[in-house]
Amino acid sequence: MKPPRNLSDPSRQDAWRLNHQRVTAWRAWAGEIVVYDDLSGDTLLLDVVMAEIFKRLRETPATLDQLTDHLGSVLDLESTPRLRHVAQTALDRLADCGLVETELAARPPGGPNGPPPAPELPFPA
Amino acid sequence: MAVHCACLLRPPGHTVKLSRLSGSELARRLNGPGLFLHTGPFLSRIRTRIPQVVEGISLLYADYPAPDHEAFADYHISLEKPAGLRAWYHPQVLFKFDGLVPFKPLPLAQALPFLEWGLNWSIASHANHFLIIHAATIEKDGLAAILPGAPGAGKSTLTAFLVNNGWRLLSDELALVSLNDGRITPLARPVSLKNESIDIIRQVIPGATISALSKDTAKGTVALLKAPSASIERVTETARPAWIIFPRFAKGAATELTPRSKASTLIELGDNAFNYSIHGEHGFELLAGIVDRCACFEFTYSELAEAQRTFAALEPEGGAAEGAMA
């Protein structure tokens, strides 16, 4: 199984958000969501857990813990480590599809709170 | 594809139904300048000297408009025997599109279905002013049922029966969805029957006009059922999609119409569309809008009369999906 992205250290949980460059259109019917990814041209069917995370992130960015609490609330479950793992797995799958990203990754490189700029190449590009 | 500028040079031709042409005139056109044939929104120019294709066109396309000449045709098609010794040893047929050969030759006995498959390919590969779904479509009271289905699922058998029992044939293989309003444009052409369905349709539609059998094709034995004349005459009347139904024939099974998820229907329709990806986000919005407004079902059947009763009882629905563009 793939290691979680940046979630192993609970002290630095980034907020996740929708990647609006890729999520340009979507439809929801009876708990299921179909998303159109404008970059790949793929049309993706989200299951109930991914759909709830997608809907929550449409409102505001959220951390894994906040998403776990949201899932617990809408699915009427306790926020247990098991539910957190379910949320993490769904978040990973959404990230693999490019539909969500961390706020850190979304910031421009080199900004005050953004990731460091890529090192310069030792030869002209 | 031909260029439009030629239309400045020649006036449009005189149009009659193909059945009004004498056998020698039909052969003259097919052997010489080409037979211009209107099928739905497309005009094809067909050339061939192969007798079974000439006979098949005469039988199956008798009710279609055949102008004596046109300056422009959407598709320039010919069916020819390849040259060389093989033409005698193991006769074959080539399908040519704009003079190019997109497919390997087939046995000569498959020439007529090759024309149909080639025409389908020509439309599916080039008519990108429609969203094209691999599905049969039928209409009643202005409302269309879209019937996607894997080959062999029983889609054409059901379509053949229903369009001879109260429904209008819009298309057997290619659902043409207008990019502007999502309505279905008719493309009433012969219905392709395979294997057991040929005898079934002969039994349940007395007097059906069916071509000679083509055996040992990639799809088994194939025969073509002439489209009903009324469907051909109403070929300019578009229809609003109201149902998406995935039919499945299962021998001895009870007739069953089961609602299915709209989300999975949208995914499957996209998978069944020939040019969905070309239309990008507009294609998604178009398809999603159709799914939203349609009632979506799985349909299992074994008795055609029961299937007819089920379809007669279909009611349209109004959808209201949540969704948006970013």
Side-chain angles (χ1 to χ4, degrees):
Chain A
M1 189 174 175
K2 255 176 30 171
R5 289 164 190 282
N6 63 344
L7 311 171
S8 54
D9 177 6
S11 64
R12 73 170 285 271
Q13 271 196 27
D14 289 317
W16 290 80
R17 57 176 231 169
L18 291 188
N19 182 347
H20 289 288
Q21 287 187 320
R22 301 188 69 154
V23 179
T24 54
W26 60 280
R27 284 290 192 288
W29 291 286
E32 290 181 310
I33 289 183
V34 181
V35 179
Y36 178 71
D37 176 353
D38 199 33
L39 190 64
S40 68
D42 290 340
T43 305
L44 305 158
L45 175 61
L46 308 187
D47 64 22
V48 173
V49 175
M50 292 164 78
E52 285 302 335
I53 290 177
F54 179 91
K55 282 197 272 188
R56 172 64 182 81
L57 294 180
R58 277 199 72 239
E59 294 167 7
T60 54
T63 64
L64 175 64
D65 285 344
Q66 290 169 326
L67 292 170
T68 305
D69 290 343
H70 173 74
L71 282 181
S73 163
V74 294
L75 302 177
D76 201 17
L77 296 168
E78 282 188 37
S79 288
T80 60
R82 182 174 170 77
L83 185 61
R84 190 175 192 273
H85 179 71
V86 168
Q88 178 183 304
T89 304
L91 201 49
D92 271 354
R93 290 175 65 196
L94 286 166
D96 282 343
C97 298
L99 302 183
V100 299
E101 60 189 355
T102 61
E103 290 213 296
L104 179 70
R107 286 182 197 125
N113 300 313
E120 283 190 20
L121 296 173
F123 48 83
Chain B
M1 215 176 287
V3 290
H4 284 270
C5 59
C7 64
L8 300 173
L9 306 176
R10 297 183 69 186
H14 177 61
T15 298
V16 294
K17 274 187 182 177
L18 189 141
S19 60
R20 300 284 301 275
L21 303 180
S22 66
S24 58
E25 173 61 11
L26 177 61
R28 185 194 69 78
R29 293 188 188 186
L30 285 166
N31 295 348
L35 171 72
F36 287 92
L37 194 64
H38 275 290
T39 52
F42 308 113
L43 179 64
S44 300
R45 178 177 175 237
I46 303 170
R47 301 175 71 190
T48 188
R49 290 176 180 272
I50 298 171
Q52 61 262 48
V53 180
V54 178
E55 287 163 21
I57 288 173
S58 174
L59 180 75
L60 300 169
Y61 286 95
D63 294 332
Y64 291 76
D68 58 1
H69 70 267
E70 289 284 349
F72 171 82
D74 294 287
Y75 310 120
H76 294 253
I77 284 164
S78 68
L79 285 141
E80 302 170 15
K81 292 182 189 176
L85 280 177
R86 195 179 174 90
W88 303 101
Y89 165 65
H90 184 69
Q92 289 184 318
V93 56
L94 279 175
F95 174 89
K96 289 190 176 177
F97 176 88
D98 278 0
L100 304 173
V101 181
F103 308 110
K104 289 181 179 174
L106 288 179
L108 185 61
Q110 299 178 21
L112 185 59
F114 204 8
L115 170 65
E116 290 301 311
W117 299 331
L119 272 172
N120 287 341
W121 172 83
S122 305
I123 294 166
S125 307
H126 298 90
N128 290 323
H129 51 303
F130 292 103
L131 177 67
I132 304 177
I133 303 168
H134 181 214
T137 43
I138 57 177
E139 177 269 351
K140 196 182 222 181
D141 299 329
L143 301 177
I146 300 173
L147 312 176
K155 152 176 72 75
S156 291
T157 313
L158 182 64
T159 300
F161 184 73
L162 292 176
V163 299
N164 283 279
N165 288 279
W167 290 75
R168 172 165 68 113
L169 177 66
L170 297 178
S171 70
D172 174 41
E173 290 283 345
L174 306 175
L176 303 179
V177 181
S178 163
L179 296 179
N180 298 325
D181 56 14
R183 293 176 68 85
I184 306 292
T185 293
L187 179 62
R189 290 203 359 245
V191 178
S192 179
L193 302 173
K194 290 129 213 154
N195 304 313
E196 295 86 0
S197 72
I198 300 167
D199 281 337
I200 291 173
I201 292 300
R202 277 191 211 282
Q203 288 167 17
V204 296
I205 309 173
T209 301
I210 299 178
S211 72
L213 302 182
S214 295
K215 296 182 177 174
D216 301 321
T217 76
K219 302 178 179 188
T221 300
V222 171
L224 297 158
L225 171 73
K226 182 175 176 289
S229 302
S231 299
I232 299 165
E233 284 166 11
R234 295 173 59 195
V235 79
T236 58
E237 294 177 33
T238 61
R240 177 170 75 79
W243 305 280
I244 301 166
I245 302 172
F246 290 75
R248 186 176 70 89
F249 174 84
K251 202 168 184 177
T255 305
E256 195 172 14
L257 188 70
T258 313
R260 62 172 286 155
S261 134
K262 293 205 177 207
S264 68
T265 299
L266 174 52
I267 294 289
E268 198 143 348
L269 268 194
D271 287 344
N272 275 282
F274 289 97
N275 57 356
Y276 172 64
S277 58
I278 288 174
H279 295 294
E281 187 173 315
H282 182 66
F284 173 85
E285 290 293 342
L286 188 63
L287 223 46
I290 290 172
V291 170
D292 195 32
R293 291 186 294 272
C294 284
C296 304
F297 298 102
E298 305 276 356
F299 180 58
T300 305
Y301 75 98
S302 61
E303 295 293 332
L304 286 166
E306 280 188 25
Q308 183 191 355
R309 284 193 287 276
T310 304
F311 271 67
L314 287 171
E315 295 281 350
E317 71 163 37
E322 185 187 356
M325 295 165 68

